[in-house]
Amino acid sequence: MSKNSDMNLLTRLLTRLFIDDAHTRAPERVLPLVIFSLLSTLSAPTSANAYGLVPQQFIYCTTCHGVALQGNRAVDAPRLIGMEPWYVRNQLNAFREGWRGGHDDLIGMEMRPQATILDADGVDAAVAFVTSVPARKPSAATVVGDAGRGRNLYTSCAACHGSNAEGNSTLKAPRLRGQSDWYLVLQLEKFRSGIRGDKPGDIYGSQMRASVSVLRDESAINDVVAYINSLE
């Protein structure tokens, strides 16, 4: 990319951060996004095809999720590469329907406007983009827990997500293995507290909320995620 292209990209990203999303972003979350935008732009590959995999309409997605869609813990943006296309579609629709990103979910509130601007064709394009990015090695584990205890707790999870956390498209249960462990913890906590899975019409979210009731505290969540980390 040329220097002018870099600056044009950065201008678009910062405009979205400070103007377009001012109504959803908490002030304390803007600075990490600005820093990540700067680093992503300045450190991006300079070959002619540097942004070849990022359609113009989805460049802003890389502000949080990264150019390679590896995710960014600093802004609670999950890893997208490796997600099943049907799961990406389901979650975009969940944000569009208001099942995710309610007033009690600050992080989800940041994502919801990005999903609601998409029409059916836009969702198709987003799914195609996410699934086109080559998978990369998962990030190093960050969650500390008792994987042995987690193995026992995971028994009920395996009924839907598979014994090796490989997921099950028929049951609409996503693959867990390879996802950022901190993100798994965050989402399990949201299901346990009712931030996710409590909206009418959210069938799969409701099922998950009921299932996660066996994880009675933070320690149990860390243990089951530590076990998922141990799977290959």
Side-chain angles (χ1 to χ4, degrees):
M1 293 179 69
S2 67
K3 183 176 294 186
N4 286 338
S5 296
D6 286 346
M7 292 308 300
N8 288 337
L9 171 61
L10 186 58
T11 298
R12 288 196 299 273
L13 295 178
L14 295 182
T15 298
R16 291 293 301 276
L17 287 173
F18 282 108
I19 299 177
D20 297 355
D21 290 345
H23 64 293
T24 59
R25 293 196 186 281
E28 66 271 15
R29 291 180 61 80
V30 172
L31 182 57
L33 287 169
V34 172
I35 294 173
F36 188 65
S37 298
L38 286 167
L39 293 177
S40 296
T41 303
L42 297 177
S43 63
T46 56
S47 67
N49 297 319
Y51 277 86
L53 290 176
V54 185
Q56 183 72 21
Q57 71 188 109
F58 300 125
I59 285 180
Y60 181 61
C61 303
T62 66
T63 308
C64 295
H65 296 283
V67 175
L69 305 185
Q70 285 274 53
N72 179 12
R73 187 177 186 180
V75 291
D76 300 312
R79 171 188 172 94
L80 300 182
I81 52 172
M83 283 187 177
E84 302 92 333
W86 53 264
Y87 184 70
V88 176
R89 183 183 304 279
N90 285 354
Q91 296 313 300
L92 286 173
N93 286 334
F95 280 112
R96 295 173 73 209
E97 292 289 340
W99 299 335
R100 296 189 63 179
H103 69 279
D104 51 354
D105 181 7
L106 175 60
I107 301 167
M109 287 175 64
E110 294 177 354
M111 178 60 199
R112 188 177 177 187
Q114 318 314 322
T116 55
I117 63 174
L118 299 175
D119 57 16
D121 290 339
V123 171
D124 288 343
V127 172
F129 163 50
V130 170
T131 55
S132 73
V133 179
R136 298 168 184 260
K137 184 178 180 180
S139 303
T142 64
V143 174
V144 177
D146 183 343
R149 178 172 180 249
R151 180 177 183 176
N152 293 330
L153 291 169
Y154 184 78
T155 301
S156 60
C157 309
C160 293
H161 292 281
S163 59
N164 205 35
E166 71 275 15
N168 185 323
S169 60
T170 301
L171 299 177
K172 297 297 185 287
R175 177 171 52 248
L176 303 179
R177 189 180 70 248
Q179 179 56 272
S180 302
D181 57 4
W182 56 265
Y183 183 73
L184 294 179
V185 168
L186 184 62
Q187 297 312 304
L188 287 171
E189 289 175 343
K190 287 185 177 183
F191 279 117
R192 189 164 64 88
S193 65
I195 293 177
R196 282 189 68 177
D198 68 336
K199 304 295 190 298
D202 185 10
I203 297 174
Y204 300 113
S206 297
Q207 292 174 349
M208 182 62 195
R209 185 184 178 191
S211 299
V212 83
S213 62
V214 300
L215 305 177
R216 300 188 179 280
D217 53 31
E218 181 181 349
S219 176
I221 289 177
N222 288 338
D223 290 345
V224 78
V225 172
Y227 174 67
I228 293 171
N229 276 339
S230 73
L231 298 174
E232 295 183 359

